[in-house]
Amino acid sequence: MSVWGHFVAFSKCTALLSLRILLLVPAGLPVHSQGDSLSDNKVMDNITVRQGETLILRCAQGDIVTHTAWLNRSSILYAGDEKWSVDPRVSLVTLNQEEFTIKIENVDMTDEGQYVCAVQTSSRPTTTVIHVLVQVPPKIIDLSRDIVVNEGSNVTLMCQAIGKPEPFISWKRISSSGDLATDDDYLEIPSISRQRAGTYECTAVNDIDTDTQTVDITVNYAPTVSDGRDVGVTLGHRGVLECEADAVPEADFEWYKDDRRLSNGFDGIEIVHTGSLSRLTFFNVSDGDYGNYTCVAINKLGSSHTSFLMYVVIEPTSSTLLQGPKAVQDGNGTAMGVHLDTCLFVIMFIPFLMKF
Ligand SMILES: *[C@@H]1O[C@H](CO)[C@@H](O)[C@H](O)[C@H]1NC(C)=O
Ligand SMILES: *[C@@H]1O[C@H](CO)[C@@H](O)[C@H](O)[C@H]1NC(C)=O
Ligand SMILES: *[C@@H]1O[C@H](CO)[C@@H](O)[C@H](O)[C@H]1NC(C)=O
Ligand SMILES: *[C@@H]1O[C@H](CO)[C@@H](O)[C@H](O)[C@H]1NC(C)=O
Ligand SMILES: *[C@@H]1O[C@H](CO)[C@@H](O)[C@H](O)[C@H]1NC(C)=O
Ligand SMILES: *[C@@H]1O[C@H](CO)[C@@H](O)[C@H](O)[C@H]1NC(C)=O
C-alpha cells in the first residue's frame, strides 16, 4: 500500500502518520500521536452531483495552515496550490486562510468515491472526508428492434437501461389504456394476437430523469373477407361489387365470375384496390354480367373468399321506386333480407336468372 493509500483508511493514527510524511511535517513539529483530541476527522455529508456537472470540493482551513492537500482516494489532486493531478478537469478555485476549494468539471461515474482534504495546522492535522455520489440520468442502451411476427408467436421485447440510481423499467402499449405493467427489462407476450399489435413504449425512470423509447410490433395474419352483399342492378346501369378483407400484410384480391378470372379493363369493368377494399365496377351492366361473383383475398399467410350475386332489378318506375331500390338500400347486409324484399323482382326475372 502506498503512503497515500493510508489516507483511504483514514484511521486517526494512520492519518497522522501519513500527514507527517505527505505534508513533510518537519520532524521537530509536535505531532501528538497520542493526543486524539488534537486531530479532527470529520465525515461530512455526502455530496450528490449529476454526471456532467461541476463538483466543488470546499475545505475549511483556519488557524495557521502549514500544509494542505485534496486527495481522490489515494491520489493527491492538489497539494496546496500545486496541482498533482494530470486530469484537466481538476482545477483550483480558492486557496487562502479560510478555505481550500477545488473543482472537478464534467463529473463522471468514475469520479464517485471518497475525497479527503488533509490539513496540517500549526497545532494539529485535520482530515475531512467527503463522499461523492454521482447520479446518472437513465438511458436506454439496448432495446428490441421493431418486429414483424405471425399471429400466435411468442414475443419477447427487451429494454435495458443504465443510470444511477438504477432505473426502473416499465412497459406499456400506446393507444391502449390496458396497462401491461411489468417492472422487468423483458416484456413477454405469449401467443400474440392481432389485437396486441401496435407500438409499445419502454420507460426507464430514476430520481433524476426519464428516458422513453418505442418498439413497433406488427402481427401478420391471414385474410378474412366480410360476407358478400348481393347487389341488384338495372340493365344498362352502373353496378358495383365491394369486397373487404382484414389482413396483415394487406391482401391481394382476385375476382372471378364463376370459374373465370376477371381482369381490369375486361368487358367494361374496372377493378380498383384501395387498402383493405377491392371494388369491381361495371360501367354498363349487360345481360351477360348477371350472375355469381367470387372475391378472393390472399396474403402470404392464407386466403379467404366470398361470393356475391348480381341480380336483375327492373328499371325503376313510379311503382318500383317505392319498393325496389329501397329494398336494396336497406338490405340488412344479409343476402336473405335482400332476397325477401326483392322476391318480387326475382320472380319476375326468373327466366333471366335461369341463364346463369
Ligand atoms: C453517504 O453515502 C453512503 C453510501 O451511500 C452511506 O452509507 C452513508 O450513510 C452516507 N452518509 C451520509 C452522511 O449521508
Ligand atoms: C478519482 O479516482 C478514480 C479512481 O482512480 C479515477 O477513475 C477518477 O478519474 C479520479 N477522479 C478525479 C477527478 O481525479
Ligand atoms: C410459446 O410458448 C409456449 C409456452 O412456453 C410453448 O408451449 C409454445 O410452443 C411456444 N410457441 C411458439 C410458437 O414458439
Ligand atoms: C350500355 O350498353 C348498351 C349495349 O351495348 C348500349 O346500347 C348503351 O348505350 C350503353 N349505355 C351506356 C350508358 O353506355
Ligand atoms: C357462387 O360461386 C361460389 C364459388 O364457385 C359457390 O361456392 C357459391 O355457392 C355460388 N353461389 C351461388 C348463389 O350460386
Ligand atoms: C336488420 O335485421 C334485423 C333483424 O334481422 C332487424 O331487427 C333490423 O331492423 C334490420 N335493419 C334494417 C335497417 O332493415
Side-chain angles (χ1 to χ4, degrees):
M1 191 190 254
S2 71
V3 167
W4 317 122
H6 292 110
F7 268 88
V8 180
F10 73 93
S11 80
K12 292 178 180 183
C13 190
T14 317
L16 280 172
L17 179 66
S18 302
L19 257 183
R20 181 149 216 165
I21 300 162
L22 162 66
L23 303 176
L24 310 172
V25 176
L29 216 123
V31 173
H32 308 275
S33 53
Q34 75 278 42
D36 276 351
S37 61
L38 294 176
S39 168
D40 295 341
N41 290 327
K42 287 183 252 170
V43 176
M44 287 184 43
D45 281 344
N46 291 332
I47 294 183
T48 298
V49 63
R50 291 187 187 181
Q51 186 183 41
E53 288 183 348
T54 296
L55 168 66
I56 304 281
L57 294 171
R58 186 174 284 116
C59 171
Q61 303 285 281
D63 292 348
I64 295 115
V65 173
T66 56
H67 295 92
T68 183
W70 264 111
L71 291 87
N72 167 13
R73 298 188 192 117
S74 55
S75 32
I76 296 178
L77 299 176
Y78 265 90
D81 59 3
E82 196 182 324
K83 185 174 173 183
W84 286 39
S85 168
V86 293
D87 193 330
R89 300 174 303 135
V90 180
S91 58
L92 182 65
V93 178
T94 312
L95 175 59
N96 57 31
Q97 211 51 54
E98 285 75 45
E99 67 172 85
F100 179 25
T101 304
I102 63 166
K103 69 175 178 190
I104 300 165
E105 284 166 291
N106 192 18
V107 167
D108 207 348
M109 294 246 266
T110 52
D111 297 323
E112 183 162 295
Q114 211 171 69
Y115 289 77
V116 178
C117 174
V119 178
Q120 173 67 56
T121 65
S122 53
S123 56
R124 58 189 174 182
T126 309
T127 55
T128 303
V129 178
I130 294 176
H131 291 285
V132 172
L133 297 169
V134 179
Q135 290 187 327
V136 182
K139 187 171 189 315
I140 294 169
I141 52 158
D142 208 353
L143 183 72
S144 296
R145 292 163 182 269
D146 292 352
I147 54 164
V148 178
V149 294
N150 292 343
E151 196 167 29
S153 305
N154 295 330
V155 173
T156 302
L157 297 184
M158 182 205 43
C159 177
Q160 288 179 327
I162 52 164
K164 263 183 94 247
E166 190 172 336
F168 174 84
I169 305 279
S170 62
W171 283 97
K172 72 169 187 183
R173 183 154 74 103
I174 299 176
S175 77
S176 128
S177 52
D179 69 317
L180 295 150
T182 171
D183 54 355
D184 198 11
D185 294 4
Y186 295 90
L187 171 65
E188 312 236 359
I189 310 174
S191 189
I192 194 167
S193 67
R194 61 191 71 181
Q195 288 78 22
R196 298 191 76 182
T199 301
Y200 287 76
E201 186 183 78
C202 167
T203 305
V205 188
N206 69 10
D207 298 349
I208 307 161
D209 210 348
T210 298
D211 190 19
T212 296
Q213 290 198 29
T214 59
V215 182
D216 286 334
I217 302 182
T218 304
V219 177
N220 284 342
Y221 53 92
T224 315
V225 291
S226 351
D227 283 344
R229 183 180 291 209
D230 293 352
V231 174
V233 186
T234 303
L235 190 66
H237 282 209
R238 185 185 171 89
V240 178
L241 298 178
E242 283 187 339
C243 178
E244 187 156 22
D246 179 23
V248 176
E250 246 168 32
D252 290 326
F253 292 92
E254 291 175 0
W255 285 92
Y256 294 86
K257 176 156 195 272
D258 302 319
D259 292 334
R260 185 166 53 101
R261 171 102 187 252
L262 303 176
S263 49
N264 219 348
F266 182 83
D267 272 356
I269 60 164
E270 182 190 58
I271 299 171
V272 176
H273 311 309
T274 42
S276 62
L277 191 72
S278 181
R279 190 179 279 116
L280 170 62
T281 305
F282 300 84
F283 294 109
N284 179 356
V285 172
S286 68
D287 286 348
D289 291 335
Y290 294 107
N292 184 4
Y293 288 85
T294 301
C295 160
V296 182
I298 305 155
N299 73 6
K300 60 184 179 183
L301 294 185
S303 68
S304 167
H305 67 271
T306 188
S307 294
F308 311 76
L309 207 57
M310 186 161 79
Y311 60 90
V312 183
V313 169
I314 193 168
E315 186 96 38
T317 64
S318 53
S319 64
T320 56
L321 266 175
L322 296 169
Q323 250 193 318
K326 185 170 172 280
V328 173
Q329 279 162 19
D330 285 355
N332 216 337
T334 65
M336 199 169 174
V338 172
H339 282 164
L340 287 174
D341 286 313
T342 57
C343 183
L344 178 67
F345 304 108
V346 173
I347 292 165
M348 286 175 76
F349 287 88
I350 277 175
F352 246 127
L353 289 167
M354 293 309 273
K355 289 187 189 172
F356 308 107

